[in-house]
Amino acid sequence: MEVPIPRYFLSERAKVLQERQEVLAGLLTRVAPSKTVTPPRPGMPREEAVRLIQMAERMRQGRLRARFMWEIRRDEERERKVRESGLSEPNRELAATCIQKELEPQLLGPSAAMIRAQLGEELRRMRQADYEAEYREALNNVRDAIYEVEGPSMCEALKEQLRQWFIECHDLLGCFPDYPDEAIGGCSVLFAHRTPEEVRVELDLAEIKTDPKKKEKEKVAKPEKKGQEKKVDEDEGLTLSPSKFLQTINQGFLMYTGCWSDRDEAIHFEQQYEEELIRTEKRKEVEMEMRLQVNELMRQELLHLKLAVDQQETKPPKPHKARKSAKKKGKKGKKEKDLTPDRTIDSLYEELVLQGIIKKPQKVQLADYMGDFCYLGTILRQQEIEPVPSTLDVRQNVALYAVLRLGSQPVHELAPLVKSLLLAGPAGTGKKMLVHAVCTETGANLFDLSPDNLAGKYPGKSGLQMMIHLVLKVHVWEVQVSRLLQPSVIWVGDAEKTFYKKVPKEEKEYDPKRLKKDLPKALSLLRAEDRVLLMGTSSKPYLADIKGLCKTYERILLVPRPDYASRYVTWQRLIEKHGGIVTGSLDLSALAKVSDGYSQGSLAQAVTAVLSERRLLQLPKRPLNAGELLQMLARADPIYPEEEEMLKDWYNKTPLGKRKAKAEEDKLKAAEGFQVVFLEAGGGAGAAMEAPGCPDANLLPRPSNLSELEGPQRATVGVQGHGCAECPVLRRPG
């Protein structure tokens, strides 16, 4: 099962994305180098020009004559074959139908059914936009109508209820009550339908909020439950916590069952807005506005009543003072200094584009990262062999960690926070393509902070700080920009260069490690609600300091070379994508087997080189064969086993690799032995314990020193030759 990418990521922001692309295209035209103007050629003599025209005309007439003679010979050959075979005249209509069937997909493009489906979808999108505009307009119109028609009556009804409450309280207590404070909801708390238990709980919570010492006393006095300490010490392992999305799903389900499940939608084909539902929703908003107005009026009226009846003058309440602890907290938090206070976001965006930091991502879909799942994973695990992740496993993880989080704000807020992702694998396995696919699927901006791209830009420490400041300010410092320029992907190509153990001599002048300290700091400045993801790609991560690399990148995905199933699918789709036809003369299975060890990039280069425009014209007469592709593939460098081993060894040193290795080690230890509980009753040290009911079981020696055993006197011993099918004591096969 593969999680699909929702279409609304792009469709709902189509207008914003179109405007951004136009701005980016305009800025990129200024960056592109101006075309060099070639000097004009010297004038040609008239005699030379006439001679060239005559030569070209004679060649054209020669080609036409040759074509005409070839058609004559072809027709004569057909007539001769018909006379020799004794067959009648060939059916021209049948031949034309066959040719049309072959050429229709290539020449005519999409079929009529596909065109109708596309037009229907576009029409639905346009109709949705029109209905959305009508709905937004109806929200304002209905709200204004309710405010004008029902607002005055709501206001008078609330005033009458509050005056009645004033009189009842004065009759019972002998004085007028205090008006509820605005902080707890004003008069709305008087009309809330709640049980006495709910009111008591609310009062207790209010007391705890006003008196924090009481809260601490309750914590101390609270008795610990039985087995609570035991649960804390236990390792939960892979126990999944409840999903944060369940509450949203339940709310949607309750809304559906309470509002929509009983409605008959058979006659509501147009699916326009329901005015009655809007009235119910807007009536609550108008009522809340009326309450706020009534609160102010009745508070003043209550003051006048107290002054007139009870001769009591009430002082206005003092504003709440901020707590000292909050002050101290505010002092500790340092605010990032704005290095460009007088510049607009548009000017910063333009500077980053002109400097080559913001780039236009290549238009590539995540589905273009071709491959297949590893269907033998379960069988390999049964043989105690850990399968290598397939290309579709990598694609699925990129969709979960990057695409869904960047494309949806609710998913980003509710899912576990992931700020950075590293794609590590051999060259040509599609790491850069995945970065561009994430930007394409989510409409994200692409910021290129690769060491090679930063060479010579923003020199010095102050220049580096300015660049980091510009990138972050465009993301998170302004609310309006967060809406326009998020989501964003910060890409660091050749991520190992930023954390080099030892910088090569030829790269020292470019200072590839200049972002080593500032990149983690910049990552910590990103807030939880910012849809910004740091993506790194590396083909040689073992050259970097593993501690700094793993500290910066929270998640690391190992991108392996394609397996047999992925190579088979990749060959097939690449050939079809470039206009080729897979026929019986092309053995894809053998081609996928022989191309083991090559990356997807090498396969794509081979297909592009073979299927040229001239070769595509020759396909009807000379079908494609595997030898042509292998001849081009042999020119590319394969992925050597030594390189794969270095990548696996490096991955085993990462935090996730260490945890995985520890889990496998524990599994092996558990498989090598079993636990036997030695009872205190029975023989002394060195005595033997029999396995009753098992005649063929050898005696299991008891340890001489029971005090050395961990836990409730346990020891791990090997299974000794049990001849029976299953030992009744050990409950394991002999």
Side-chain angles (χ1 to χ4, degrees):
M1 187 180 69
E2 191 170 5
V3 177
I5 308 300
R7 294 184 181 181
Y8 75 87
F9 286 177
L10 299 177
S11 61
E12 290 188 355
R13 302 172 57 241
K15 188 176 180 181
V16 176
L17 294 176
Q18 182 66 26
E19 292 175 357
R20 188 199 301 167
Q21 287 176 2
E22 291 174 359
V23 172
L24 186 59
L27 293 173
L28 289 175
T29 53
R30 293 166 54 184
V31 179
S34 58
K35 296 182 180 180
T36 56
V37 181
T38 55
R41 293 182 179 180
M44 182 183 295
R46 179 172 294 185
E47 293 80 7
E48 182 71 17
V50 171
R51 191 177 64 84
L52 289 176
I53 293 173
Q54 289 175 346
M55 287 175 58
E57 179 61 22
R58 282 194 290 269
M59 287 188 289
R60 187 184 70 82
Q61 292 179 2
R63 285 194 298 271
L64 289 175
R65 195 180 298 110
R67 177 74 179 175
F68 180 67
M69 295 302 296
W70 175 79
E71 289 177 355
I72 291 175
R73 286 195 297 270
R74 183 193 61 185
D75 294 341
E76 291 177 352
E77 185 69 19
R78 282 180 181 175
E79 293 174 359
R80 185 182 62 81
K81 287 182 178 180
V82 169
R83 286 195 303 270
E84 290 178 356
S85 60
L87 297 175
S88 59
E89 190 76 14
N91 191 343
R92 293 182 177 272
E93 292 184 0
L94 183 61
T97 305
C98 293
I99 294 172
Q100 287 174 358
K101 285 182 179 178
E102 280 191 23
L103 298 181
E104 185 177 4
Q106 301 175 8
L107 299 180
L108 302 181
S111 63
M114 292 177 65
I115 293 173
R116 284 196 300 271
Q118 292 174 0
L119 290 174
E121 185 175 356
E122 291 178 5
L123 184 61
R124 283 196 301 273
R125 299 291 181 194
M126 294 169 60
R127 190 173 295 175
Q128 285 176 1
D130 295 340
Y131 286 175
E132 181 70 16
E134 292 177 8
Y135 173 69
R136 297 296 174 191
E137 186 178 358
L139 289 177
N140 297 327
N141 295 338
V142 171
R143 186 243 173 225
D144 295 340
I146 293 174
Y147 188 87
E148 293 176 2
V149 176
E150 302 180 19
S153 59
M154 287 181 186
C155 190
E156 290 301 323
L158 285 173
K159 286 180 181 179
E160 288 299 324
Q161 291 177 0
L162 287 171
R163 290 189 183 110
Q164 185 66 26
W165 177 64
F166 294 160
I167 295 170
E168 290 176 0
C169 288
H170 191 274
D171 292 342
L172 289 173
L173 304 175
C175 62
F176 288 106
D178 293 331
Y179 202 86
D181 193 11
E182 201 67 44
I184 61 174
C187 66
S188 60
V189 297
L190 302 174
F191 304 107
H193 301 285
R194 288 170 296 178
T195 61
E197 290 79 8
E198 291 176 346
V199 175
R200 193 177 298 111
V201 170
E202 261 191 30
L203 291 173
D204 292 341
L205 289 174
E207 287 181 10
I208 290 172
K209 287 179 181 177
T210 55
D211 189 7
K213 292 182 179 178
K214 186 175 180 181
K215 191 175 182 180
E216 293 177 4
K217 289 178 183 177
E218 285 190 0
K219 281 185 180 178
V220 174
K222 190 176 180 181
E224 291 184 354
K225 295 180 181 179
K226 291 182 179 180
Q228 191 170 0
E229 295 179 358
K230 195 173 183 180
K231 285 183 181 178
V232 173
D233 295 336
E234 288 179 0
D235 184 15
E236 293 185 358
L238 293 176
T239 305
L240 295 176
S241 58
S243 173
K244 295 181 181 179
F245 296 90
L246 251 151
Q247 185 178 359
T248 308
I249 295 173
N250 288 334
Q251 289 175 356
F253 174 71
L254 292 175
M255 180 189 292
Y256 171 75
T257 53
C259 181
W260 295 100
S261 59
D262 297 333
R263 289 181 176 272
D264 185 14
E265 295 292 314
I267 59 174
H268 192 202
F269 183 73
E270 291 295 328
Q271 292 294 306
Q272 292 178 323
Y273 64 87
E274 290 277 354
E275 188 172 346
E276 192 57 39
L277 294 177
I278 297 176
R279 284 187 174 277
T280 306
E281 181 184 348
K282 292 299 176 182
R283 190 173 283 113
K284 295 177 182 178
E285 293 183 12
V286 173
E287 187 177 353
M288 187 59 63
E289 286 187 28
M290 292 294 108
R291 285 188 190 279
L292 294 176
Q293 296 178 13
V294 169
N295 281 340
E296 293 297 326
L297 295 173
M298 298 309 292
R299 191 175 280 109
Q300 294 297 327
E301 186 173 329
L302 183 60
L303 292 177
H304 294 316
L305 283 172
K306 286 183 177 181
L307 186 61
V309 179
D310 296 340
Q311 301 296 323
Q312 179 185 354
E313 186 175 354
T314 308
K315 295 180 181 180
K318 295 181 180 180
H320 294 285
K321 292 183 179 179
R323 293 179 183 173
K324 292 182 180 179
S325 60
K327 274 186 182 179
K328 289 179 182 177
K329 250 184 189 177
K331 285 180 182 177
K332 284 183 182 177
K334 292 182 180 179
K335 192 177 180 181
E336 191 71 16
K337 185 180 178 183
D338 191 357
L339 301 177
T340 55
D342 301 328
R343 295 185 58 182
T344 62
I345 298 299
D346 293 335
S347 67
L348 301 181
Y349 185 82
E350 181 179 352
E351 180 179 338
L352 290 173
V353 173
L354 296 178
Q355 289 290 337
I357 303 296
I358 295 180
K359 292 187 174 181
K360 184 179 180 180
Q362 300 173 11
K363 193 172 182 180
V364 54
Q365 304 292 331
L366 193 63
D368 294 338
Y369 186 74
M370 295 169 283
D372 206 348
F373 285 105
C374 178
Y375 299 104
L376 300 178
T378 306
I379 298 174
L380 291 173
R381 286 194 178 95
Q382 289 174 356
Q383 302 297 324
E384 298 183 355
I385 300 172
E386 186 63 26
V388 178
S390 65
T391 52
L392 287 198
D393 291 330
V394 175
R395 188 172 84 182
Q396 179 81 313
N397 278 276
V398 169
L400 295 175
Y401 281 125
V403 177
L404 295 182
R405 296 167 190 268
L406 290 176
S408 172
Q409 186 69 32
V411 173
H412 181 79
E413 292 175 354
L414 294 175
L417 183 62
V418 175
K419 293 183 179 180
S420 52
L421 175 67
L422 177 66
L423 303 176
T429 50
K431 302 180 292 297
K432 183 179 176 182
M433 176 185 178
L434 288 171
V435 174
H436 288 279
V438 170
C439 296
T440 303
E441 296 285 2
T442 60
N445 293 283
L446 180 62
F447 291 77
D448 187 0
L449 298 186
S450 304
D452 295 340
N453 188 44
L454 297 181
K457 300 174 183 177
Y458 296 98
K461 188 175 180 181
S462 59
L464 183 62
Q465 289 178 351
M466 176 60 73
M467 183 193 67
I468 296 293
H469 166 76
L470 294 179
V471 173
L472 289 179
K473 186 172 182 179
V474 168
H475 290 309
V476 297
W477 280 40
E478 298 290 338
V479 177
Q480 56 181 0
V481 178
S482 297
R483 187 179 68 252
L484 294 177
L485 293 185
Q486 288 189 12
S488 294
V489 172
I490 301 175
W491 173 45
V492 180
D494 296 328
E496 75 279 356
K497 294 184 178 181
T498 309
F499 301 94
Y500 261 148
K501 296 177 184 175
K502 185 180 179 182
V503 181
K505 292 181 180 180
E506 60 272 13
E507 296 185 22
K508 281 187 178 179
E509 58 178 329
Y510 303 117
D511 192 14
K513 295 176 67 174
R514 59 189 305 210
L515 276 177
K516 182 178 181 180
K517 294 181 180 178
D518 292 296
L519 192 60
K521 290 180 182 177
L523 204 60
S524 64
L525 293 176
L526 294 176
R527 298 169 298 187
E529 61 269 18
D530 295 325
R531 285 188 293 161
V532 180
L533 181 67
L534 172 65
M535 292 190 72
T537 56
S538 176
S539 56
K540 299 177 181 178
Y542 42 81
L543 298 179
D545 176 28
I546 193 169
K547 186 177 180 181
L549 194 67
C550 295
K551 185 179 178 181
T552 304
Y553 296 97
E554 301 173 5
R555 297 288 186 273
I556 298 175
L557 292 181
L558 194 61
V559 184
R561 62 180 174 86
D563 55 6
Y564 170 79
S566 297
R567 291 194 302 275
Y568 186 95
V569 173
T570 303
W571 276 121
Q572 183 179 14
R573 295 191 181 172
L574 281 174
I575 292 171
E576 293 173 353
K577 181 181 177 181
H578 288 80
I581 303 171
V582 179
T583 60
S585 61
L586 179 60
D587 190 351
L588 283 180
S589 179
L591 187 61
K593 187 69 176 175
V594 175
S595 58
D596 186 14
Y598 287 92
S599 65
Q600 297 97 317
S602 300
L603 306 187
Q605 289 176 1
V607 173
T608 305
V610 171
L611 292 178
S612 60
E613 188 176 352
R614 182 180 179 184
R615 185 66 182 90
L616 289 174
L617 295 174
Q618 297 173 350
L619 285 178
K621 296 182 179 179
R622 187 162 61 91
L624 190 66
N625 60 69
E628 299 176 76
L629 296 169
L630 290 176
Q631 186 179 0
M632 286 295 176
L633 185 64
R635 300 179 182 180
D637 293 329
I639 302 171
Y640 295 102
E642 294 81 8
E643 184 181 358
E644 286 188 314
E645 287 299 322
M646 291 174 71
L647 283 168
K648 288 179 182 177
D649 293 342
W650 169 82
Y651 186 73
N652 291 333
K653 296 176 184 177
T654 61
L656 182 61
K658 288 180 180 178
R659 290 201 297 270
K660 191 174 179 181
K662 187 176 182 301
E664 292 180 357
E665 187 179 349
D666 294 342
K667 187 179 178 182
L668 287 174
K669 284 182 179 179
E672 288 174 359
F674 62 93
Q675 291 186 332
V676 180
V677 179
F678 294 91
L679 305 177
E680 284 292 343
M689 182 182 73
E690 295 183 359
C694 180
D696 297 327
N698 292 340
L699 297 180
L700 303 177
R702 175 173 177 164
S704 57
N705 190 359
L706 290 176
S707 62
E708 295 178 356
L709 300 178
E710 298 179 358
Q713 298 177 350
R714 293 168 184 254
T716 303
V717 296
V719 179
Q720 301 186 17
H722 282 237
C724 60
E726 182 176 346
C727 174
V729 178
L730 306 177
R731 297 298 176 194
R732 290 183 59 166

